[in-house]
Amino acid sequence: MKSILLIGLGRFGKHIAMHLSSLRHQVMAVDHREERIDEILPYVTNAQIGDSTNAEFLSSLGVDNYDVCIVAIGSDFQSSLETTSLLKELGAKFVVSRAERDVQEKFLLRNGADEVVYPEKQVAKWAAIRYSADHILDYIDLDDSYAIFEVSIPHAWIGLSVGQIDIRKKYNINILAVKQGSKMNVKVTPDTVLRDDNTMLVLGEYKSLQKCFHI
């Protein structure tokens, strides 16, 4: 369980709070609008109405006591930037800030953000990959070079074993798991036979995944 300071309770911030609640983390939520605070109370440990660009108010929250500070302000970049900078000045351990454009990401990183999330860009890339290929069921970026894909079994591989297709040797791609419906088998061996109702979780360099699965 982690203690998290969440600043900004628009749609993005609200969804973060709800997911953190389901993961049983302790969340202090902050927004300058009372109606947003009222909506989020069932999902957080505590909440306060206040201006996060006010150094005195922010200091009163004891920001250095939180494991993570998330700045989810979306509509007012100046406030997001000031809040990010103040958090770091006040001793925040780890600051994650939201960006809506590439230039915002650069400014946030230069002014105290340890990491930046860019929801629109990240979801757009996921959607482009997911829905431009019928056999790609899910996709996770690990960094600029590596990714994990959930893919349907290519027709030519059905009935063959993992050892027979040998994509690790041919493409330097690792099969992490084989799924059948909701059941996941993570104990994949060279003798594991691939069926037409299976999907695979595969890890590798993006360019190798593109080549292997014709993405």
Side-chain angles (χ1 to χ4, degrees):
M1 181 191 300
K2 288 190 174 183
S3 58
I4 297 169
L5 175 61
L6 174 62
I7 300 174
L9 299 174
R11 285 176 295 178
F12 181 60
K14 183 178 179 180
H15 281 294
I16 291 177
M18 293 169 69
H19 285 295
L20 288 172
S21 174
S22 69
L23 294 169
R24 301 185 182 280
H25 293 296
Q26 293 183 332
V27 180
M28 162 65 85
V30 173
D31 199 282
H32 67 284
R33 292 170 59 175
E34 184 176 357
E35 65 272 19
R36 289 181 174 178
I37 294 292
D38 291 339
E39 289 178 5
I40 210 65
L41 282 175
Y43 305 103
V44 299
T45 312
N46 204 347
Q48 285 199 34
I49 303 168
D51 178 6
S52 62
T53 65
N54 183 302
E56 185 176 346
F57 168 72
L58 212 55
S59 179
S60 72
L61 300 174
V63 299
D64 57 332
N65 294 318
Y66 294 94
D67 296 308
V68 182
C69 296
I70 301 175
V71 182
I73 300 169
S75 58
D76 185 350
F77 179 64
Q78 184 63 34
S79 293
S80 177
L81 189 63
E82 289 181 27
T83 300
T84 298
S85 181
L86 279 173
L87 284 169
K88 216 58 182 176
E89 288 177 14
L90 293 169
K93 297 172 187 173
F94 194 83
V95 179
V96 181
S97 299
R98 177 188 181 181
E100 292 185 324
R101 296 196 297 273
D102 290 340
V103 67
Q104 292 181 357
E105 182 177 8
K106 293 176 182 178
F107 275 109
L108 288 165
L109 289 170
R110 290 174 185 171
N111 286 272
D114 294 289
E115 288 190 11
V116 172
V117 291
Y118 195 157
E120 290 82 0
K121 183 177 181 179
Q122 290 158 346
V123 172
K125 184 177 181 181
W126 178 89
I129 292 171
R130 167 65 180 87
Y131 295 111
S132 64
D134 294 336
H135 58 292
I136 305 299
L137 304 178
D138 206 351
Y139 157 74
I140 302 172
D141 249 339
L142 298 181
D143 59 22
D144 292 337
S145 301
Y146 286 84
I148 296 174
F149 280 72
E150 181 181 355
V151 298
S152 56
I153 306 298
H155 183 73
W157 295 1
I158 295 172
L160 299 180
S161 69
V162 169
Q164 286 175 307
I165 64 172
D166 200 13
I167 63 171
R168 185 170 187 178
K169 182 177 181 180
K170 294 176 182 176
Y171 297 99
N172 198 28
I173 293 170
N174 292 304
I175 300 176
L176 302 179
V178 174
K179 290 177 64 179
Q180 183 176 355
S182 60
K183 296 181 179 179
M184 185 177 296
N185 174 23
V186 296
K187 296 180 180 179
V188 179
T189 71
D191 296 325
T192 301
V193 175
L194 303 174
R195 300 169 32 162
D196 60 355
D197 58 349
N198 290 155
T199 61
M200 296 188 301
L201 293 180
V202 292
L203 164 66
E205 280 193 280
Y206 184 70
K207 60 183 180 182
S208 298
L209 293 164
Q210 279 184 305
K211 184 177 181 181
C212 181
F213 296 105
H214 308 291
I215 301 169

